[in-house]
Amino acid sequence: MSRVDNLKKIIKRLTGALLAFLALLIVIFIIHCINVGRYNSEWRIITSDSSSTQILVDVHPRGGVTDSWVKTNTGLGTSLNAKIYEMVVTNNSHYYVDDWQIRFNVTDKCYLNNGWCGTFEIHQFDRAGTETSQTLDLRNFDNRDIYLFNYLAGQDLLIPLDYGDYFIYHPDTSPASGEVPIKGSEDMSGSSVCGIIMYSLTGEVNLLDYELSYKLHRGLWDGTTGRFLIISFTLLALSFIILGTIFLVSVRFESRIISQNKLLADAFRICCAMPDSRDYYSKGHSERVANIARLIAEKMGMDKSDCEIVYNAALFHNVGMVTVNEQILRKKGKLTREEYAEVKKHTIRGAELLKDIENIPHAEEAALYHHERYDGTGYPFGKKEDEIPLIGRIVAVADAYDAMNNDRPYRSKFSRDQIREEFIKNRGTQFDPAIVTAFLDVMGERNL
Ligand SMILES: [Fe+2]
């Protein structure tokens, strides 16, 4: 397996792991969204009896000289004292107060007159306990639309309230009012200030029985889980970008290698076709021998890269033939002793041509030793058994098979059975027995 294949395999595994992590993050994100949604929609309550360090409520009468006055023409047969009360809601929590409202329970007889900037949801109960309620913007009303019990003292609206009645202040939600939302402590703590004008006989109205309801807004990326998610998603995105880039580069590199290999293969074929082309009976011989040699190597259990080395080396086994006189190669009759000696030189001359070619391993040996015989009676050196390099012994078998399997000027090609018989007969004399065994298996399996 090539380095590019290994890299692609690693990228595939890493992508699988990252996708699994992404799926896990998505599940965590969904659960986190549900939790944040629940947190943000929950109404929290502070009453005048409970205290909170995070959300503070302060209701008090304003102390300026213009903040209280006496109203004489009330239409009630008595004058009333008016006073402005200030209500401050301060947010010291980490999150925004996204929505809020405050309920005041009335404890003494009084009259609600006005306020800013929101609306008042007022609940009156008559002596029979029947409730009447209405939500009003006291700065902007038409008294014909008011069905709460009320007085109109000049321009002033007086809504009488007594023990048991209550009103709820809803803040103005327009951004300009600044009443909602109220910033949290991370943004310098915000507060909302509202005013209420109350009338009473004494000028003192008890507004200290209240109940503040509020919602906090927690952002999706706030808190430990939010920060974990944003860091994880960012790292994941970076990992995908890096892996994608490496994959694209490896694909481009691989396509370049493939095209270079094709170019090399073409060049090899041309080189090997040259010696074969000089003799009509040898056309395609080198490539056929190389294919058979590779099948033998595979059968012998060599790994893929070694099988390719055997194939490429075998392609060049007869390259020395280019130096042999063409008249000898094309001669129909029997060769003279001198002519045969000339042909035999193709082994040494081929090795000479290949000796400096480092990138085709064992090609020199394939050229030099493919006519040696296992019993030491071959040429050019008469080497025997393991003295003959393995590539020489493999190519010898493949070369002999191709010779027997093709017509010659002086004979027809051998039958399949004749070829088998020849190999069995010459096992241990001309050929390495182990290689013959491997080749006969190949013949059987591939129906050669
Ligand atoms: Fe040869």
Side-chain angles (χ1 to χ4, degrees):
M1 185 177 283
S2 71
R3 285 181 184 174
V4 175
D5 286 338
N6 272 333
L7 185 64
K8 283 164 86 175
K9 204 171 172 184
I10 291 168
I11 290 173
K12 200 174 167 187
R13 281 183 187 163
L14 282 175
T15 305
L18 289 177
L19 285 174
F21 185 49
L22 176 64
L24 179 67
L25 278 185
I26 288 172
V27 171
I28 294 173
F29 179 69
I30 291 169
I31 294 169
H32 179 62
C33 286
I34 293 168
N35 286 339
V36 169
R38 275 187 194 151
Y39 185 91
N40 291 350
S41 61
E42 183 185 341
W43 279 105
R44 299 153 203 278
I45 293 171
I46 292 174
T47 67
S48 44
D49 296 328
S50 63
S51 61
S52 165
T53 54
Q54 296 199 317
I55 310 295
L56 307 176
V57 182
D58 180 25
V59 185
H60 56 266
R62 281 201 342 198
V65 290
T66 58
D67 294 331
S68 57
W69 61 92
V70 178
K71 182 82 174 173
T72 51
N73 55 338
T74 59
L76 297 172
T78 180
S79 52
L80 293 172
N81 291 289
K83 190 169 280 189
I84 298 176
Y85 290 85
E86 197 169 69
M87 177 179 64
V88 184
V89 180
T90 302
N91 178 15
N92 286 329
S93 77
H94 287 297
Y95 307 123
Y96 276 39
V97 169
D98 210 26
D99 196 5
W100 63 274
Q101 60 188 43
I102 186 163
R103 167 176 165 159
F104 290 98
N105 297 314
V106 176
T107 55
D108 298 306
K109 190 169 181 63
C110 59
Y111 302 85
L112 178 61
N113 165 243
N114 207 339
W116 63 90
C117 309
T119 54
F120 288 85
E121 179 189 327
I122 304 159
H123 296 253
Q124 286 176 328
F125 293 84
D126 62 16
R127 286 184 179 176
T130 307
E131 181 182 5
T132 306
S133 67
Q134 188 171 9
T135 299
L136 294 170
D137 179 351
L138 294 176
R139 296 163 302 154
N140 182 24
F141 64 89
D142 183 340
N143 66 310
R144 289 170 298 186
D145 296 332
I146 300 173
Y147 48 85
L148 288 166
F149 189 64
N150 69 88
Y151 302 101
L152 201 60
Q155 294 297 314
D156 286 355
L157 178 70
L158 298 178
I159 298 174
L161 298 168
D162 207 342
Y163 181 81
D165 295 340
Y166 66 93
F167 62 91
I168 301 168
Y169 178 79
H170 295 275
D172 186 345
T173 54
S174 66
S177 74
E179 293 191 342
V180 144
I182 307 173
K183 288 178 180 176
S185 61
E186 287 185 351
D187 288 309
M188 305 289 289
S189 287
S191 58
S192 181
V193 184
C194 313
I196 305 170
I197 303 173
M198 300 295 294
Y199 284 70
S200 66
L201 281 171
T202 61
E204 297 299 327
V205 178
N206 181 6
L207 289 178
L208 294 178
D209 186 2
Y210 58 79
E211 181 181 287
L212 174 79
S213 306
Y214 65 97
K215 285 181 180 175
L216 290 177
H217 180 83
R218 179 175 154 195
L220 268 183
W221 310 117
D222 293 336
T224 309
T225 310
R227 279 192 286 276
F228 164 76
L229 282 169
I230 201 164
I231 290 169
S232 300
F233 276 125
T234 306
L235 290 177
L236 203 58
L238 280 174
S239 304
F240 275 121
I241 290 169
I242 291 168
L243 270 186
T245 307
I246 293 173
F247 180 75
L248 286 177
V249 170
S250 69
V251 166
R252 287 189 65 179
F253 180 72
E254 188 182 33
S255 70
R256 190 178 291 177
I257 295 281
I258 288 170
S259 88
Q260 283 178 352
N261 283 345
K262 278 182 183 166
L263 195 67
L264 269 179
D266 289 345
F268 275 24
R269 257 194 294 277
I270 291 167
C271 288
C272 300
M274 284 170 70
D276 295 347
S277 67
R278 308 186 73 224
D279 169 9
Y280 172 79
Y281 289 97
S282 294
K283 276 199 172 56
H285 168 72
S286 295
E287 196 159 353
R288 290 195 300 271
V289 168
N291 278 322
I292 296 294
R294 177 163 56 192
L295 290 174
I296 293 170
E298 285 170 2
K299 190 53 154 173
M300 291 172 73
M302 292 187 191
D303 66 31
K304 201 176 171 185
S305 63
D306 284 342
C307 291
E308 284 310 298
I309 287 172
V310 167
Y311 174 84
N312 287 328
L315 270 178
F316 290 89
H317 76 282
N318 256 0
V319 73
M321 282 295 190
V322 294
T323 67
V324 177
N325 188 312
E326 201 164 298
Q327 282 181 336
I328 298 175
L329 292 176
R330 290 177 183 265
K331 186 175 176 181
K332 295 270 168 56
K334 198 175 177 191
L335 298 181
T336 65
R337 182 189 295 265
E338 291 74 24
E339 286 168 338
Y340 186 49
E342 176 69 11
V343 170
K344 284 160 84 174
K345 286 178 184 169
H346 80 277
T347 52
I348 292 173
R349 288 174 180 167
E352 273 293 310
L353 288 170
L354 294 165
K355 70 177 181 188
D356 295 325
I357 309 295
E358 292 175 359
N359 290 324
I360 316 174
H362 303 294
E364 183 188 352
E365 289 173 341
L368 194 56
Y369 297 112
H370 72 276
H371 284 294
E372 296 288 2
R373 294 170 61 110
Y374 198 67
D375 58 5
T377 59
Y379 68 88
F381 305 120
K383 287 184 180 291
K384 63 178 184 180
E385 298 178 6
D386 290 351
E387 292 170 6
I388 308 164
L390 181 61
I391 185 70
R393 283 176 273 150
I394 292 174
V395 174
V397 170
D399 190 28
Y401 167 75
D402 192 63
M404 288 187 260
N405 197 39
N406 284 281
D407 292 330
R408 286 287 180 268
Y410 48 88
R411 63 151 173 85
S412 298
K413 72 177 204 174
F414 287 24
S415 70
R416 200 161 174 266
D417 288 341
Q418 284 174 316
I419 292 173
R420 289 182 67 85
E421 279 170 24
E422 277 297 310
F423 275 112
I424 291 166
K425 189 172 79 185
N426 293 297
R427 171 192 267 164
T429 52
Q430 185 175 350
F431 307 114
D432 181 334
I435 295 172
V436 168
T437 303
F439 176 67
L440 291 178
D441 285 349
V442 170
M443 268 190 87
E445 287 166 13
R446 303 213 168 229
N447 205 22
L448 295 176

